[in-house]
Amino acid sequence: MKKNRSAKMIGALMSVIMMLLAVPAHAAENPGSFAGLPMENPTSFPQLDASDFSDDTYISTPAIELPENQKLSLSSSVNRRPALSVAVMRIYALGDSSSSSGGNFGHAWISITNLNGSPLKIGGLTVADNKAITVGTWGNTDPRGLWYNAEGYAQSHGTTWSKSVSIQRPLRQVDLDIVNENIASHTSWSPLNNCSSFASQIWNSVAPDSEKVSAGGINMPKNLADSIRALGKEISWSLFAEGYRVPFDHPTYYGNPPTRKDPTFDNASTSSLGELPEGTVKEE
């Protein structure tokens, strides 16, 4: 009887020893796992190296190492930053039919303010953070065509833009890239391709159909002003304003690539659509 008990005990002990020998090595190293099905333990994974992502990332750093394909996908989405605004664009226009008899048809232009937190390329200029430029085409300047900051320059020499109307919209980097490309390719002026043509085309290049403006069948600042006024009443976030401040943070430049130059305004011209308002100091 004792021999049978001893034999059974020895057999049971041998079975336990054989079961222990059958457990895989990774299970012995990781007590929180079952044989053949190791459980993921986040604390056992190496921390993600911060150098794997750019400094301007706006996402939380993952606590565990990601597979390489997920790293690439995440890094790509961070670099695109599709939903972040880097700037704000405002479109201005003024003009009325009563002023057209004197050859003064008003004016239209855009301003773009850098909200990126660092210098930003806008048009052909590099603009500091929280600074702005204006861009417009002129037909009564020497030379005619695209000017940067001419509106602020004119304002500093006696022009008042108090009768202008304007609205604004945010620009993502992808939007700003489109705007920059259009500024670079629209540097000329003509009576049928005037300041209101330029301003409306720049705005519409990044606006959805429901937020586009119109300078009319024959492009005129007055038509654009009416369109801005109507759109501003429909869309509250566009911050419609009358006589909104015209920024003058940088010197004047002509053309693209921009050349440093001060404009000379000719108010005697009756062939231009881009005249300065009455009371402007004429530059000699």
Side-chain angles (χ1 to χ4, degrees), residues 147-199:
W147 284 89
Y148 291 89
N149 307 313
E151 291 75 19
Y153 180 87
Q155 179 177 257
S156 71
H157 286 74
T159 294
T160 174
W161 303 111
S162 60
K163 294 183 179 181
S164 68
V165 294
S166 62
I167 53 176
Q168 70 181 37
R169 67 177 302 104
L171 296 178
R172 303 165 299 172
Q173 184 60 60
V174 64
D175 301 321
L176 182 59
D177 291 343
I178 293 172
V179 167
N180 287 345
E181 182 178 345
N182 284 320
I183 290 174
S185 60
H186 293 80
T187 60
S188 62
W189 178 95
S190 72
L192 296 180
N193 182 32
N194 54 69
C195 59
S196 64
S197 311
F198 173 83

Side-chain angles (χ1 to χ4, degrees), residues 34-47:
F34 293 99
L37 296 171
M39 296 177 63
E40 292 184 359
N41 182 359
T43 59
S44 69
F45 284 75
Q47 296 296 305

Side-chain angles (χ1 to χ4, degrees), residues 5-81:
R5 285 182 180 177
S6 297
K8 288 181 179 180
M9 291 178 64
I10 293 172
L13 181 60
M14 292 298 296
S15 298
V16 171
I17 292 173
M18 293 299 293
M19 288 176 64
L20 291 174
L21 291 175
V23 175
H26 60 66
E29 294 173 359
N30 186 354
S33 63
F34 293 99
L37 296 171
M39 296 177 63
E40 292 184 359
N41 182 359
T43 59
S44 69
F45 284 75
Q47 296 296 305
L48 184 64
D49 188 345
S51 64
D52 290 333
F53 293 91
S54 58
D55 292 337
D56 63 349
T57 178
Y58 285 85
I59 60 171
S60 299
T61 302
I64 63 174
E65 185 74 15
L66 295 174
E68 285 301 318
N69 62 335
Q70 291 185 26
K71 276 190 188 180
L72 293 175
S73 176
L74 185 57
S75 179
S76 176
S77 67
V78 168
N79 290 336
R80 287 197 302 270
R81 299 167 63 192

Side-chain angles (χ1 to χ4, degrees), residues 94-96 99 103-108 161 195 221-222 273-277:
L94 80 164
D96 57 68
S99 65
N104 186 347
F105 292 90
H107 185 45
W161 303 111
C195 59
K222 178 190 180 302
L273 299 175
E275 298 276 350
L276 292 173

Side-chain angles (χ1 to χ4, degrees), residues 80-91:
R80 287 197 302 270
R81 299 167 63 192
L84 296 180
S85 299
V86 298
V88 61
M89 176 170 64
R90 181 166 282 267
I91 182 171

